[in-house]
Amino acid sequence: MFAQPEADALGPGISITPIRQEQLKRKLGDRFRELDVPLEVTWPNGKKEAILFVLEEETDPRRFSTHRLAHYCLDLSELRNTKRVVPVVIFLRGQTLDLSLCLGGERHTYLQFNYLSCSLSKLPWQKYQHSSNIVARLNLPNMHYEQKDKIHVYAQAFRGLKELESDPVLQDKYIDFIDIYAQLSNNELKQYQHHYPNEARQMETFTQRNQNIGLKQGMEQGMQQGM
């Protein structure tokens, strides 16, 4: 979804593994820059050299730095001893015009850095409303939609979470993500409950489960402090 030109060439049977931030911080030291977790893609039997995808999520395009991303990719390339690095930037709101970095003089360009970019707010939500990609479904509220479709966008995001993620812990985590970016008003929430009563009841179950977990954790902490 975010790196389609590269993803289409990967083929079947690949393995995707996040590179732990703790490992990067330990090895890079002061040069460590905390972006979203890099992903390492490997092929069965090592038939191709592994490739690294560096994904950075940016809420405010004004805060994005091509220099910072280039530094991070170069550090990661040196650390992992590979030149197969694909930088990808996901803009939640808008997009920067700073799409590349060129260093050079009068006659030559000596460093050329480009990255793939995805502006979620420009993607039509209808295209992804039935997607089997959970990342796409969770990000429906960040995509382009008309105000009249807002509760339907929210419903499809929630349905995607329910259908594509079975882990209760992750369900609780991702429902918060949907809520934060959908930002339904009280009136919109009432409309949602009216048009999608089944989903609304299931969401109440999620909320109650979160409250029960929080209450249990609070009681356990209180008991430990009192001992």
Side-chain angles (χ1 to χ4, degrees), residues 134 138 157-179 202-203 205-207 209-210 213:
I134 189 171
L138 294 177
F158 179 74
R159 284 177 176 174
L161 172 59
K162 183 183 62 174
E163 295 167 0
L164 302 173
E165 180 54 68
S166 59
D167 187 332
V169 175
L170 292 179
Q171 286 179 342
D172 292 340
K173 176 181 178 180
Y174 294 148
I175 190 61
D176 288 341
F177 178 90
I178 296 173
D179 281 337
Q202 291 171 338
M203 185 168 295
T205 301
F206 278 24
T207 303
R209 186 170 64 196
N210 273 336
I213 292 174

Side-chain angles (χ1 to χ4, degrees), residues 2-158:
F2 302 128
Q4 204 65 46
E6 289 287 343
D8 289 342
L10 296 179
I14 60 173
S15 177
I16 302 176
T17 307
I19 301 176
R20 296 178 59 186
Q21 292 280 24
E22 294 84 355
Q23 179 187 23
L24 297 178
K25 188 172 184 178
R26 184 173 64 253
K27 292 188 176 182
L28 293 178
D30 293 338
R31 294 181 297 142
F32 173 73
R33 297 170 179 85
E34 187 172 356
L35 301 183
D36 287 359
V37 179
L39 304 175
E40 183 176 48
V41 178
T42 56
W43 280 262
N45 304 320
K47 66 179 182 180
K48 288 185 180 181
E49 182 185 349
I51 186 169
L52 304 179
F53 282 79
V54 179
L55 283 79
E56 177 178 357
E57 180 185 290
E58 194 64 75
T59 304
D60 185 353
R62 294 171 298 181
R63 297 173 54 190
F64 172 71
S65 169
T66 309
H67 286 78
R68 184 184 67 234
L69 181 60
H71 271 294
Y72 189 82
C73 289
L74 289 171
D75 285 342
L76 194 61
S77 170
E78 183 178 21
L79 174 64
R80 307 292 289 194
N81 191 29
T82 181
K83 295 180 181 178
R84 287 166 59 82
V85 179
V86 179
V88 183
V89 183
I90 304 157
F91 294 99
L92 299 186
R93 298 287 184 269
Q95 184 172 339
T96 180
L97 297 178
D98 189 12
L99 298 177
S100 63
L101 175 64
C102 299
L103 302 182
E106 295 293 336
R107 301 184 61 183
H108 297 289
T109 296
Y110 298 98
L111 176 64
Q112 175 80 37
F113 177 78
N114 302 288
Y115 62 90
L116 294 175
S117 67
C118 175
S119 180
L120 288 179
S121 61
K122 294 182 180 180
L123 298 180
W125 79 278
Q126 295 94 334
K127 182 178 178 179
Y128 300 94
Q129 63 175 316
H130 300 301
S131 173
S132 59
N133 184 330
I134 189 171
V135 176
R137 295 290 285 274
L138 294 177
N139 274 288
L140 287 178
N142 288 318
M143 297 181 187
H144 177 72
Y145 59 85
E146 301 295 331
Q147 188 64 29
K148 63 181 177 62
D149 294 326
K150 188 174 182 179
I151 62 170
H152 307 303
V153 172
Y154 185 80
Q156 286 301 106
F158 179 74

